[in-house]
Amino acid sequence: MESLPLPLGDDAPQAPLAERLRPQTPAEVIGQQHLLGEGKPLRVAFDSGRLHSMILWGPPGVGKTTLARLMADGFEAQFIQISAVLGGVKDIREAVERAQVAQTTGRRTVVFVDEVHRFNKAQQDAFLPHVESGLFTFIGATTENPSFEVNSALLSRATVHVLKSLGDADMVVLLARAQALLAAPPLTDAARDRLVGYADGDARRLLNAYENLARTAGKAKNIDEALLERSLGEQLRRYDKGGEQFYDTISALHKAVRGSDPDAALYWFVRMLDGGVDPRYAARRLVRMASEDIGLADPRALRMALDAAETYERLGTPEGELALAQAVVFLAMAPKSNAVYTAYKAVKAFVAQDGTRAVPLHLRNAPTKLMKDLDYGRDYRYAHDEEGGFAAGENYWPDDIKPPRFYEPVPRGLELRIGERLEELRRLNGEAQTRPAKKTR
């Protein structure tokens, strides 16, 4: 029987709003249609009656526990939940005993392990024989990449399903359900959008904030931004996802790195994290900076940014954020060059306005006799057979084009040496005389 909500002013204890709104059927689930839509993996499992062990991987508040409960309910199975944060071997042993008792009555069991990545190898291995014997179906939930955090033996016996953050439209639907349940005043559009931005795809975060907000609202006619700020206080993001200040802060980080100010770069980086930005997004921005603003002046910068991003994937928050901070400082202190970035944009513009020119015969591939008979690849000079590994005077451009210059190294970092090498090669090309055809490859 569906429980009715108590009045907002009633002091009687009741379950949190997120629990009261927990879906009772797969059809009530908001989002995750890539798993629950027609013909999708979990929908097929429900419809076919074939329950399988799985890992549910996704950010907080997207329905991992809900899906596990629905799986158990859908198959009339005993549902046993273990928290890897609070539990241990004793809890696993008790779950096994309960599953054995249920098995004697012909009832199936689902053992759900929340935050499964918190269990060590021995604890994870303890599930293996019981999963293999079919004593129970194992469902693990994790916010971390299971490739790194879940034992390969357990991972091989479970299907990994990736859950996504709820979209803004999904969150609006969830808010409408919450408002109806609580009979709360309506949100203004601005307050609603800001609350959705604050939740950032986390349904639990949205509902917890909204429940407090509704209680604060009292008999107000509506809930506006002022009431939102009074209710959430410091919890409310200092900039909204997708808003102007969000992009201004990213811009400030990028410009501080480009300007070689490590202190300012760290400041804006921490401001982004403090504002609730996904550290993975910050990592992607750092990778971009390494190519756009440092490039070949210090090629280590790109590797540093990629390593930091991978480290964050392994460690998560907060440990992995230090690796990103290290990359921020390295990028800020690295010599700067936008020569490759500038050259790339120039070539794109050139190709966009230029016609499609034929590839010269000597540069064409000749894998067949017919192509060789048509002079494909003829007179091509193999650079490795030339003095110094350089075929001075060879032309690598279409025949009807005057070779332009796009890439101009800056006199900083490694590009200082690259520039010297490029000038030497250009000098050799300029001095090259007509030579007899060399051996072709």
Side-chain angles (χ1 to χ4, degrees):
M1 178 178 177
E2 184 178 358
S3 60
L4 296 175
L6 294 174
L8 293 179
D10 201 313
D11 293 330
Q14 56 182 310
L17 177 61
E19 185 63 32
R20 284 182 281 158
L21 280 177
R22 189 183 295 277
Q24 301 302 307
T25 67
E28 294 178 11
V29 175
I30 296 175
Q32 313 310 330
Q33 289 306 298
H34 64 293
L35 297 176
L36 294 168
E38 190 69 34
K40 300 304 181 181
L42 294 187
R43 176 68 174 275
V44 170
F46 278 111
D47 293 345
S48 66
R50 296 177 181 174
L51 185 60
H52 60 275
S53 292
M54 65 188 76
I55 302 290
L56 302 177
W57 173 28
V62 295
K64 296 186 290 294
T65 302
T66 293
L67 286 177
R69 287 180 180 273
L70 289 176
M71 280 286 174
D73 292 344
F75 296 95
E76 298 182 348
Q78 174 182 215
F79 183 78
I80 301 175
Q81 182 170 349
I82 300 174
S83 169
V85 177
L86 303 174
V89 174
K90 178 176 178 290
D91 299 271
I92 299 174
R93 188 181 301 114
E94 290 177 355
V96 170
E97 292 173 354
R98 290 176 59 188
Q100 290 171 336
V101 172
Q103 190 178 52
T104 62
T105 65
R107 189 183 185 195
R108 289 189 285 190
T109 297
V110 169
V111 175
F112 173 66
V113 181
D114 197 16
E115 304 291 341
V116 65
H117 59 276
R118 298 292 188 94
F119 269 158
N120 59 35
K121 183 180 186 301
Q123 291 168 323
Q124 292 184 27
D125 285 346
F127 292 102
L128 293 177
H130 309 297
V131 172
E132 289 181 339
S133 69
L135 176 63
F136 55 70
T137 299
F138 173 84
I139 301 180
T142 179
T143 56
E144 306 297 334
N145 189 331
S147 298
F148 302 134
E149 305 296 341
V150 178
N151 289 352
S152 57
L154 184 57
L155 200 58
S156 69
R157 292 163 176 80
T159 303
V160 176
H161 296 299
V162 181
L163 278 67
K164 302 177 181 178
S165 296
L166 299 187
D168 290 354
D170 294 329
M171 302 292 263
V172 170
V173 171
L174 189 57
L175 272 178
R177 290 186 185 178
Q179 182 185 352
L181 180 64
L182 296 179
L187 285 155
T188 65
D189 289 347
R192 180 200 62 203
D193 293 345
R194 195 168 182 192
L195 182 59
V196 167
Y198 161 77
D200 196 22
D202 184 332
R204 189 182 304 107
R205 188 180 192 187
L206 178 79
L207 294 176
N208 288 342
Y210 182 69
E211 186 170 22
N212 290 333
L213 188 61
R215 291 187 181 279
T216 304
K219 297 181 179 180
K221 292 184 178 180
N222 58 40
I223 299 173
D224 57 15
E225 285 190 277
L227 181 55
L228 184 69
E229 291 178 355
R230 288 199 303 272
S231 174
L232 297 181
E234 288 299 316
Q235 298 177 49
L236 194 63
R237 289 189 173 176
R238 282 180 272 280
Y239 57 89
D240 294 326
K241 179 183 178 184
E244 181 179 354
Q245 192 173 356
F246 176 84
Y247 291 106
D248 284 347
T249 309
I250 296 165
S251 176
L253 170 62
H254 200 148
K255 288 171 181 174
V257 168
R258 181 184 295 150
S260 301
D261 189 329
D263 295 321
L266 272 177
Y267 168 78
W268 291 115
F269 171 68
V270 173
R271 276 282 302 272
M272 289 175 67
L273 297 184
D274 183 62
V277 74
D278 185 345
R280 295 176 181 85
Y281 177 80
R284 292 195 296 271
R285 298 299 304 188
L286 294 178
V287 172
R288 167 67 187 233
M289 294 175 207
S291 291
E292 178 179 339
D293 292 295
I294 298 168
L296 293 178
D298 191 342
R300 297 173 299 175
L302 182 56
R303 187 65 262 169
M304 174 70 77
L306 290 169
D307 285 346
E310 181 180 341
T311 300
Y312 180 81
E313 288 294 337
R314 285 179 176 269
L315 298 182
T317 297
E319 292 89 348
E321 293 169 4
L322 181 59
L324 297 178
Q326 179 179 330
V328 167
V329 173
F330 186 93
L331 299 185
M333 294 308 299
K336 303 301 187 294
S337 171
N338 70 342
V340 173
Y341 177 62
T342 300
Y344 175 70
K345 290 199 302 180
V347 173
K348 282 188 67 176
F350 179 83
V351 170
Q353 60 84 33
D354 192 42
T356 302
R357 301 174 186 266
V359 176
L361 287 174
H362 71 287
L363 295 182
R364 297 186 188 184
N365 188 32
T368 68
K369 182 177 183 301
L370 174 61
M371 291 178 174
K372 291 177 181 176
D373 290 343
L374 293 173
D375 290 338
Y376 280 31
R378 183 179 180 181
D379 296 332
Y380 167 65
R381 295 165 58 194
Y382 190 59
H384 293 290
D385 291 341
E386 301 277 343
E387 182 179 353
F390 178 64
E394 180 67 301
N395 177 46
Y396 299 101
W397 289 87
D399 292 328
D400 55 348
I401 190 174
K402 180 181 179 180
R405 289 188 178 185
F406 294 113
Y407 175 55
E408 295 292 345
V410 300
R412 292 184 292 278
L414 181 61
E415 279 201 325
L416 183 63
R417 297 181 61 186
I418 292 175
E420 293 171 352
R421 171 64 174 161
L422 185 56
E423 285 303 313
E424 173 65 9
L425 297 179
R426 287 171 175 171
R427 183 186 66 80
L428 292 173
N429 275 333
E431 295 176 353
Q433 303 296 321
T434 302
R435 296 183 174 91
K438 299 288 184 179
K439 180 173 65 175
T440 59
R441 300 283 295 214

